[in-house]
Amino acid sequence: MSSETCAVCGGQFPFDSTVHLLVHTNSEEGAFDYYVCRSCYEEELAPLVA
């Protein structure tokens, strides 16, 4: 099974226990495409979009 590196904490996690984070910016930078572990998502990112 493949693993992904969490963009927040840097840990290695199985693909099926990560959240795919795709943020489209309104700038020349375009889109940010990351994977984050569920723990970091729930603690750090979910409150931002709630």
Side-chain angles (χ1 to χ4, degrees):
M1 176 177 280
S2 65
S3 65
E4 295 292 339
T5 302
C6 175
V8 177
C9 70
Q12 291 286 316
F13 297 91
F15 178 78
D16 63 352
S17 66
T18 61
V19 176
H20 185 208
L21 179 66
L22 183 60
V23 179
H24 292 274
T25 65
N26 195 16
S27 69
E28 290 182 17
E29 294 177 335
F32 299 110
D33 188 7
Y34 299 112
Y35 287 92
V36 295
C37 69
R38 291 188 188 274
S39 177
C40 285
Y41 174 78
E42 291 170 3
E43 293 173 15
E44 304 290 331
L45 301 169
L48 297 174
V49 295

